[in-house]
Each structure stands twice: as C-alpha cells, then as structure tokens.
Amino acid sequence: MGHHSTWTWQELLVLLGGLWLWGASAQPTPPGPTRSPTPQLKFRLAGYPRKHNEGRIEVFYNDEWGTICDDDFTLANAHVLCRHLGFVAATGWAHSAKYGKGVGRIWLDNVNCAGGEKSIGDCKHRGWGNSDCSHEEDAGVICKDERIPGFKDSNVIETEQSHVEEVRLRPVVSGARRRLPVTEGVVEVRYKDGWAQICDEGWDTKNSRVICGMMGFPAEKKVNRNFYKRLKRAARTKGRSPRLGSRLFAERQQLNYRLHSVSCTGTEVHLSMCTFQFYQGNTSTACGAGMPAVVSCLPGPLFTSGSTHKKKQRQQQQGQLRIRLKGGAKAGEGRVEVLKSNEWGTVCDDRWNLLSASVVCRELGFGSAKEALTGARMGQGTGPIHLNEVQCLGTEKSLWSCPFKNITQEDCKHTEDAAVRCNIPYMGYENLIRLSGGRSRFEGRVEVAVGAGDGDELRWGLVCGEGWGTLEAMVVCRQLGLGFANHGLQETWYWDASNVTEMVLSGVKCAGHEMSLSHCQHHGSSLSCRNTGTRFAAGVICSETASDLLLHAPLVQETAYIEDRPLHMLYCAAEENCLSSSARLANWPYGHRRLLRFSSQIHNNGRADFRPKAGRHSWVWHECHRHYHSMDIFTHYDILTPNGTKVAEGHKASFCLEDTECEEDVAKRYECANFGEQGITVGCWDLYRHDIDCQWIDITDVKPGNYILQVVINPNFEVAESDFTNNAMKCNCKYDGHRIWVHSCHIGDALSEEASKRFEQYPGQLNNQIS
C-alpha cells in the first residue's frame, strides 16, 4: 500500500458502513423535570457477529462509551435507538449480549420508552450510570434497513477509531500458498482498499487462539519466529536469499502496520472484541522492535490432509464424542446434542451465548462460534433435554466442564433447542463446481472443474445423471453453500444453457455427509455412462430449509399386538402387496394370516414441509383404499433375527400423506380427501392407526424366538431431509408362537454406540442407509 489518496466524505461513509454506525440526536437532550441537562449523546452499533443495521447498542455519555442493560427492554426502546442511528424504525432487539459483551459503563437500565420520544434521554430509566446489570445483559437492536431521509451522521469520527472487521492469514512460504486450508501465515486486517499488518510486540498465544478460532481452527501452535526473522533480514538486503524468498518480505515498504498492543483474553470470537490500538501517522517507522504478527493453527480432524481411510477413522473417533451437531446444512453448524446416561439429548437455549457456543465448536474440531442460535433455529430435537443455562467461560475443553443446570420438564421444550454456526477453514471447494441454466442460483445443471492440477488449465464438464439422487444432490448444495437438496435430477435438458457439453464424471455415489463431490466415490478416468448426451446430465434444486421426519417410537411399543385375520378379509391387502409372498399359495378364501399390528406416528420436526417427490399428475388412485397414493415406497417394516437376517417384511408400498394432528399453534395444511394436497406440515404428524389396512407385518411364517422390529421411513431417500440418521427405529421383540412382546423401542441414533451394541447382538440400522 505505497500511496494514500484523499478520501471524500462519500467514500469515508461507505468504508464505515460495514464497520461502525454512529448516530446522534438532532439536538442536545432537553432537561427532564427531575434530571439535569444531558450532554449531547452519540450512538453506535458494535459487537460481533452483526450487520450494518444491527448490533450491540452503545451510547457516548459524559465522554465515555457504554452500553444499555436489557432489563425491561422493549421494541419501543429499539425504535427510539434506531432513529438515533439514522434508521426509520426497529424490527427487533436482542438480549443477553447476543452481539458480545461491551466494556466500560452500563449507562442505562430499566429503560421504558413509549416509542415516539425524540431522545432516549426522554424515556423513563433508573438514571445515567445507575444499573444493577453485568455486561452479559447488554442489549442489541435490529433496525429496519431504511435510512431516515436526509439523515446526517454528524458524529462520524475519523477512520482511526473504526474497528476491525475483516481478518486473514497470508501464507509466506511460497509452497504453502497453493495448499488449503492455510494454517500458518502473517495476520492481516482489511484497511482502506488493501490489507495491513499487526505489530507482534506483546503478541501472545491468547491472541493467536482468537485468530485461529476466526479462521476455523480449534487451537493454535507455536510459531518458529527465528525463521520469520531471517526472512525479514533477507528482505532488508538488496540481494535476497532465494531459499528464503518471500512475497511478503521482498520489499520493505510493503509492510503497512495498522494495529499494535493487541491484548485478547483468548475467549473472544473475533479480533474486534479484543483491546488494541491503531497506529497513527508514519507507519514506516512503526513496530521498530517487532515484526508482523505470525500465527500457526492446528486444523481439526475434518480438515487435516490424509487419505479417505484416515478421514473415516477420524469420523469414527468423532462419533464417540459426547457431543454432536444435527440438522445443519454445512459442516460446523447444527443443533447441539449431548450424550448423557447413554442417551442423546439437546441443550436448552436459556442464557445460550457465543462463549458456550465456541466451546462446542472447538470441542468438535472447528474454530470459534460465528453464531449462537436459539429457538430451535436448526430444527427441534427429540428425547431428553440434558442441559439448561449453560454458562461457559470460553476456556473449557468441553461443554460438560461448563456450569449448567439440570433440566426439569417445565423449564424447557424442544422449541428452545440451542444450535451453533462455527467458523470453519476456507477450503475453496465452491470454486470447483457450479450450476448453470437454472431460474435462480439455487438450481441448475451441475458442472465440475477438472484438470485443476499444476499448470493444467481448468476446464468444465458435466456429471453423468445415471444413479444420481438426493444424497449426491445434498453434497453439491453443501459444497456451493446453498443449504439442503430439494431434488437430485437425472435429466436436465431444460437447463442446457452453457456451452459445456463434455461428460467428465460418472458413477458418483455419495453417503451424503461429504463436503465436496470429489470426496464421493466415482469412476476413475474412464467414464461409464450409458447416455452421454447433455440432456442426461445431473442437476440439483437446493433449498435453505428441509423437512425432517421421525417416528414416535413409544407409540409402536404401546400399540403392538398380534391378530389372526381371515383371508377373505385380505383381498384388498393382497392386491396392494401387503402380505408375505407365501400368501399367494394359501387356500383362498379359507384360512388366515398372522399379522403383527402397531400404530405409527410420523412427525415432521424439520424446517420445511415434507412433500411427495412426484407431482399430482402421476399419483395413482387405489380403489381398495379409496385414495391417491403419492409415494411408491414410504416406509419399510422388517422383522430381523439378532444377527440381522430378515425373516418378515411389511410393504407400506404407497402412502396417503396428511396432517392428522398438529402442535397447538400450527394449522393443518394437507389432507388426502377429494384429491387434496398431500404432505406433512412442520410441527404436525401423520398417524397410521394399528387398525388400518397394511399397517402390519405378516409374521405367519415366523418361528418363535427373539427378533428385532425395524421401521425405516423414506428408505430410498426419495424426498430430501435435513437428517436421514433419525429415520430408522428399532425395537426388541420376543415371540413365543402365541404372543409378542415389543420393548426398548428407540430411534436408530438416539443411544450411544456402546448401548446400541448391547442391543441384542445385532445393532440394527443406525440410519436409513441399507448396509
């Protein structure tokens, strides 16, 4: 950054737009009846993470910046404060230091505005500086993104006062520049139209920990400072040592220091929350005794380079942790679930904040938390709620080391499940794939980059649509950062918009959790694709939200019984293939079949309605049961021996999907009658009573013994869901030839691995992937 241009006011305001927002009341606050005149107030938005129109609200009073307590805070207060900041109104407010804790005084507490006041000083409050709060209760505001016409930011302070938003690690050694993720490099902050460095005088491991957390890494490691000192010396001499040659240190004037005296506690989620000072004046003489701060980070298990086999091992090790994330579209985000007494459960969002969320993120091998989400933003969990009012300091190695309260049923519901979004390392995966021809960025034909090796020119090609499905589409949507897959399409002639015609990838088979399509199984350099025309290329439709179905396991256990049903009452069921194959050889209409009957209640706990994949035009009318069937296979019912051999199966070949009942505040939307729309609304469930045709398994040929009853919803992944691992339910079964006992019913991944292994000798299916 060798030159400095003169900045216009417009440019300055644009620069500040993403950093700090300052506001002022148009005139000094008029004196209230009992208060002395208030000096002119200034306002700003601070904290992290936030947008330009939301953040922690800070007020400048008596020559000192301070915060406002969230006690008795209302939307009316937020309206007044947003107008101070130059916005027309507020759309919401935040409590419990959602945008991080402020520092300094807490200027106002118990603020009570009517909403029309010109100044926050005109509202009722306890008096300036009189508060019984801590900074854990700092209030934030979310303002409507619409400016008051003609509003002047009269308190804009020179750029030296602005905070730091964008930070990066720049690798110095040339070989490290090509490798991702970047784990070591010079710390740089965005400044004006370029990047600037931080002086490392007084720099310690706590500062490095914060930087590594921002970059998506769980921990920092020691840097070889001598190596960088030699680089610095080499850069000062005209003839640089080629062995130590470095782009950064090649020319002395490239160094442009921006910050010094950085002092973090190590628990901050962003550098802007640490204390530091800005360099003033001539930066070429800055940092005489030091050099640019260099940080080295330890990547988590998912991001260390190694073979696929090692990756699988790491994932298995991760599976044995006492904490996991569920329901998120990307790596490093999801509902927080913890393991207690061999059973997985959720965490209540009371007092849930960025410190606790960061402990979760680092424990799982990610960086610090980007967001601490409340209100079941990643879908509702099931089972027990294990933890409440978790209050981590941020230094703990595990969430279990943090203070928390045990839960009682009245305290929390699953509508309050806590979730996180963690910082993850930049891997560049999104640059190797693109969608073309779609009506929006969420859909299109999949095109992948090949020949990305050294010196090769990148060329784009198509993916063979043969065998392409929901799981593969999920990986594409994740890689592009577009959320979940709605559909995986095997023909995309209607999206033939680009000039890419060559098929370069075939035989793609994904498990669904991969971060890049290149991590999935696929054919090698020799393609094998029956239809290589462009119309048979793979495509996807992505969505920010997805449904999540799961079976209510206790109901199966409560309602299971045996019925001997006469054959003359089973003609309709036979026609719909609901009996075992030996029924064809029976002496119709004499005799009977023995049926294991039970009710099944299928809940949609996701964030989008569950809709059949097939359009209404292709639904089939079934005279027997007098309704349209919208899905060919919706559920598998199986009886398995303890070693996993299938001895009986029930075919719920087609379903009528509808909202039988819903939670209190949710309205029914789907009903099968009169060729109605089919589906399951979020917060509703579809109940198949035990006395409905085909709601059974034909066990006529099953011998007495111990078995496993297994139910798998959406077994062919026909419809996308946010989580397929909770689609399988299993129960222990004991059959003595006359009666049946069904017990220990649970969702496939609800118990610890150890408890699942103890479940008879055969662990059953942990998810709906047929192994």
Side-chain angles (χ1 to χ4, degrees), residues 9-22 45 50-54 87 145 147 153 156 159 162-163 165:
W9 272 106
Q10 289 93 330
E11 286 171 317
L12 189 59
L13 287 172
V14 168
L15 173 76
L16 287 166
L19 305 178
W20 290 99
L21 283 166
W22 308 77
L45 289 176
R50 59 174 177 77
K51 297 176 186 153
H52 68 284
N53 58 328
E54 64 175 82
F87 297 96
D145 196 2
R147 282 292 197 175
D153 272 345
V156 173
T159 57
S162 63
H163 255 210
E165 291 290 313

Side-chain angles (χ1 to χ4, degrees), residues 144-164:
K144 189 175 181 186
D145 196 2
E146 187 183 331
R147 282 292 197 175
I148 295 170
F151 180 82
K152 294 276 192 298
D153 272 345
S154 54
N155 285 322
V156 173
I157 299 193
E158 65 277 11
T159 57
E160 298 305 327
Q161 290 295 314
S162 63
H163 255 210
V164 172

Side-chain angles (χ1 to χ4, degrees), residues 65-116:
W65 283 103
T67 63
I68 298 177
C69 180
D70 62 13
D71 289 354
D72 303 331
F73 208 87
T74 62
L75 190 61
N77 297 355
H79 282 313
V80 175
L81 290 163
C82 285
R83 287 199 295 274
H84 276 310
L85 292 162
F87 297 96
V88 293
T91 59
W93 59 278
H95 58 87
S96 308
K98 179 190 170 183
Y99 299 101
K101 292 190 287 190
V103 291
R105 299 287 293 275
I106 298 171
W107 277 125
L108 293 173
D109 188 6
N110 300 113
V111 180
N112 184 2
C113 303

Side-chain angles (χ1 to χ4, degrees), residues 534-603:
T534 52
R535 70 168 290 170
F536 298 107
V540 296
I541 301 173
C542 303
S543 167
E544 286 178 330
T545 55
S547 60
D548 185 20
L549 295 189
L550 61 151
L551 196 67
H552 186 57
L555 187 66
V556 174
Q557 193 166 311
E558 290 161 18
T559 56
Y561 65 96
I562 284 175
E563 181 195 11
D564 288 339
R565 195 163 180 80
L567 279 173
H568 68 81
M569 296 175 73
L570 291 169
Y571 279 105
C572 191
E575 187 185 307
E576 295 212 1
N577 201 23
C578 294
L579 301 173
S580 62
S581 52
S582 65
R584 295 195 204 105
L585 310 171
N587 186 20
W588 291 79
Y590 310 107
H592 67 272
R593 303 299 292 177
R594 176 159 287 187
L595 309 173
L596 168 57
R597 307 195 74 143
F598 52 88
S599 297
S600 72
Q601 191 173 297
I602 292 147
H603 291 246

Side-chain angles (χ1 to χ4, degrees), residues 409-467:
Q409 204 59 47
E410 298 78 50
D411 286 342
C412 264
K413 297 184 174 65
H414 281 299
T415 51
E416 300 168 81
D417 282 342
V420 295
R421 281 200 179 99
C422 306
N423 286 313
I424 67 167
Y426 176 71
M427 300 299 288
Y429 292 140
E430 72 280 7
N431 300 325
L432 305 174
I433 194 165
R434 68 187 185 192
L435 302 183
S436 69
R439 295 160 296 184
S440 74
R441 68 190 187 94
F442 283 90
E443 63 178 30
R445 192 170 66 180
V446 179
E447 296 178 1
V448 293
V450 288
D454 289 357
D456 290 347
E457 196 180 324
L458 213 61
R459 84 178 195 282
W460 291 91
L462 306 176
V463 179
C464 177
E466 204 177 306

Side-chain angles (χ1 to χ4, degrees), residues 545-696:
T545 55
S547 60
D548 185 20
L549 295 189
L550 61 151
L551 196 67
H552 186 57
L555 187 66
V556 174
Q557 193 166 311
E558 290 161 18
T559 56
Y561 65 96
I562 284 175
E563 181 195 11
D564 288 339
R565 195 163 180 80
L567 279 173
H568 68 81
M569 296 175 73
L570 291 169
Y571 279 105
C572 191
E575 187 185 307
E576 295 212 1
N577 201 23
C578 294
L579 301 173
S580 62
S581 52
S582 65
R584 295 195 204 105
L585 310 171
N587 186 20
W588 291 79
Y590 310 107
H592 67 272
R593 303 299 292 177
R594 176 159 287 187
L595 309 173
L596 168 57
R597 307 195 74 143
F598 52 88
S599 297
S600 72
Q601 191 173 297
I602 292 147
H603 291 246
N604 182 0
N605 275 22
R607 291 184 288 149
D609 292 355
F610 184 93
R611 299 297 312 277
K613 186 176 183 180
R616 208 190 265 213
H617 62 279
S618 63
W619 294 356
V620 179
W621 172 259
H622 278 245
E623 192 61 43
C624 259
H625 295 140
R626 310 288 303 165
H627 60 67
Y628 283 92
H629 288 175
S630 58
M631 286 182 76
D632 285 342
I633 295 174
F634 182 64
T635 316
H636 282 161
Y637 299 153
D638 299 316
I639 296 282
L640 309 161
T641 64
N643 68 5
T645 308
K646 193 183 294 184
V647 292
E649 57 186 23
H651 298 278
K652 287 301 285 192
S654 306
F655 259 53
C656 144
L657 289 167
E658 63 182 357
D659 295 328
T660 310
E661 289 179 67
C662 299
E663 289 166 12
E664 279 176 29
D665 52 346
V666 180
K668 293 181 184 179
R669 295 181 60 186
Y670 302 106
E671 192 179 6
C672 294
N674 305 318
F675 199 24
E677 287 289 347
Q678 293 195 22
I680 307 175
T681 307
V682 175
C684 297
W685 55 90
D686 193 357
L687 175 64
Y688 289 86
R689 285 171 49 91
H690 56 82
D691 52 5
I692 295 174
D693 250 13
C694 296
Q695 185 58 39
W696 63 57

